[in-house]
Short mmCIF file of all heavy atoms in Angstrom, two decimals:
data_model
loop_
_atom_site.label_atom_id
_atom_site.label_comp_id
_atom_site.label_asym_id
_atom_site.label_seq_id
_atom_site.Cartn_x
_atom_site.Cartn_y
_atom_site.Cartn_z
N SER A 577 104.57 76.43 120.37
CA SER A 577 105.27 76.09 121.60
C SER A 577 106.76 76.73 121.58
O SER A 577 107.10 77.18 120.49
CB SER A 577 105.50 74.64 121.69
OG SER A 577 104.31 73.93 121.90
N CYS A 578 107.30 76.93 122.78
CA CYS A 578 108.61 77.57 122.85
C CYS A 578 109.44 76.91 123.89
O CYS A 578 108.88 76.23 124.78
CB CYS A 578 108.42 79.06 122.98
SG CYS A 578 107.58 79.46 124.52
N SER A 579 110.74 77.15 123.80
CA SER A 579 111.67 76.63 124.89
C SER A 579 112.56 77.80 125.16
O SER A 579 112.98 78.50 124.31
CB SER A 579 112.40 75.42 124.48
OG SER A 579 113.33 75.67 123.36
N LEU A 580 112.97 77.94 126.49
CA LEU A 580 113.87 78.87 126.97
C LEU A 580 115.02 78.11 127.81
O LEU A 580 114.72 77.33 128.52
CB LEU A 580 113.17 80.07 127.80
CG LEU A 580 112.12 80.91 127.15
CD1 LEU A 580 111.37 81.63 128.17
CD2 LEU A 580 112.74 81.71 126.01
N GLU A 581 116.24 78.51 127.49
CA GLU A 581 117.42 77.77 128.03
C GLU A 581 118.45 78.73 128.52
O GLU A 581 118.79 79.70 127.86
CB GLU A 581 117.84 76.74 127.15
CG GLU A 581 119.01 75.95 127.54
CD GLU A 581 119.44 74.86 126.53
OE1 GLU A 581 118.62 74.22 125.92
OE2 GLU A 581 120.72 74.73 126.40
N VAL A 582 119.01 78.44 129.62
CA VAL A 582 120.18 79.18 130.16
C VAL A 582 121.18 78.17 130.77
O VAL A 582 120.68 77.20 131.44
CB VAL A 582 119.76 80.30 131.16
CG1 VAL A 582 119.16 79.70 132.36
CG2 VAL A 582 120.99 81.18 131.54
N GLY A 583 122.43 78.37 130.63
CA GLY A 583 123.32 77.36 131.14
C GLY A 583 124.85 77.83 130.98
O GLY A 583 125.12 78.75 130.16
N ALA A 584 125.68 77.29 131.70
CA ALA A 584 127.19 77.50 131.61
C ALA A 584 127.75 76.54 132.72
O ALA A 584 127.20 76.09 133.65
CB ALA A 584 127.49 78.88 131.84
N ASN A 585 129.11 76.39 132.53
CA ASN A 585 129.89 75.63 133.55
C ASN A 585 129.27 74.25 133.90
O ASN A 585 129.26 73.86 134.97
CB ASN A 585 130.06 76.46 134.84
CG ASN A 585 130.68 77.78 134.51
OD1 ASN A 585 131.66 77.89 133.76
ND2 ASN A 585 130.28 78.77 135.26
N GLY A 586 128.76 73.60 132.82
CA GLY A 586 128.27 72.26 133.06
C GLY A 586 126.85 72.19 133.58
O GLY A 586 126.44 71.16 134.02
N ARG A 587 126.16 73.41 133.72
CA ARG A 587 124.89 73.39 134.36
C ARG A 587 123.89 74.01 133.28
O ARG A 587 124.24 74.79 132.45
CB ARG A 587 124.76 74.21 135.57
CG ARG A 587 125.80 73.91 136.65
CD ARG A 587 125.47 72.54 137.30
NE ARG A 587 126.25 72.39 138.48
CZ ARG A 587 127.28 71.80 138.51
NH1 ARG A 587 127.90 71.40 137.36
NH2 ARG A 587 128.09 71.66 139.65
N LYS A 588 122.60 73.59 133.40
CA LYS A 588 121.60 73.96 132.36
C LYS A 588 120.22 74.00 133.04
O LYS A 588 119.88 73.09 133.73
CB LYS A 588 121.63 73.13 131.11
CG LYS A 588 120.73 73.42 130.02
CD LYS A 588 120.74 72.40 128.94
CE LYS A 588 121.95 72.40 128.24
NZ LYS A 588 122.01 71.49 126.96
N MET A 589 119.45 75.10 132.65
CA MET A 589 118.11 75.15 133.03
C MET A 589 117.27 75.39 131.82
O MET A 589 117.59 76.15 130.88
CB MET A 589 117.84 76.42 133.91
CG MET A 589 118.56 76.18 135.39
SD MET A 589 118.26 77.65 136.37
CE MET A 589 116.56 77.74 136.60
N ILE A 590 116.19 74.65 131.66
CA ILE A 590 115.30 74.67 130.51
C ILE A 590 113.81 74.77 130.94
O ILE A 590 113.42 74.18 131.86
CB ILE A 590 115.43 73.36 129.65
CG1 ILE A 590 116.90 73.18 129.15
CG2 ILE A 590 114.54 73.44 128.43
CD1 ILE A 590 117.22 71.85 128.38
N TRP A 591 113.07 75.64 130.12
CA TRP A 591 111.67 75.83 130.39
C TRP A 591 110.97 75.64 129.02
O TRP A 591 111.50 76.13 128.00
CB TRP A 591 111.34 77.15 131.01
CG TRP A 591 109.87 77.42 131.09
CD1 TRP A 591 109.17 77.23 132.24
CD2 TRP A 591 108.93 77.97 130.14
NE1 TRP A 591 107.84 77.61 132.01
CE2 TRP A 591 107.61 77.92 130.71
CE3 TRP A 591 109.08 78.47 128.79
CZ2 TRP A 591 106.59 78.46 130.05
CZ3 TRP A 591 108.04 78.91 128.13
CH2 TRP A 591 106.72 78.94 128.72
N GLU A 592 109.83 74.88 128.92
CA GLU A 592 109.11 74.65 127.90
C GLU A 592 107.64 74.90 128.09
O GLU A 592 107.19 74.52 129.13
CB GLU A 592 109.28 73.27 127.15
CG GLU A 592 110.61 73.00 126.53
CD GLU A 592 110.71 71.71 125.70
OE1 GLU A 592 109.60 70.98 125.70
OE2 GLU A 592 111.74 71.33 125.15
N GLY A 593 107.01 75.54 127.13
CA GLY A 593 105.56 75.79 127.30
C GLY A 593 104.95 76.45 126.05
O GLY A 593 105.57 76.45 125.08
N THR A 594 103.86 77.06 126.23
CA THR A 594 103.16 77.74 125.22
C THR A 594 103.24 79.30 125.50
O THR A 594 103.10 79.71 126.60
CB THR A 594 101.62 77.47 125.22
OG1 THR A 594 101.39 75.95 125.03
CG2 THR A 594 100.80 78.15 124.13
N PRO A 595 103.52 80.05 124.51
CA PRO A 595 103.75 81.41 124.77
C PRO A 595 102.27 82.09 125.19
O PRO A 595 101.28 81.55 124.65
CB PRO A 595 104.17 82.02 123.43
CG PRO A 595 103.77 81.06 122.39
CD PRO A 595 103.90 79.66 122.94
#
Side-chain angles (χ1 to χ4, degrees):
S577 296
C578 60
S579 66
L580 298 168
E581 179 179 320
V582 63
N585 302 321
R587 304 290 189 275
K588 183 184 293 186
M589 295 177 64
I590 301 176
W591 178 90
E592 287 191 1
T594 301

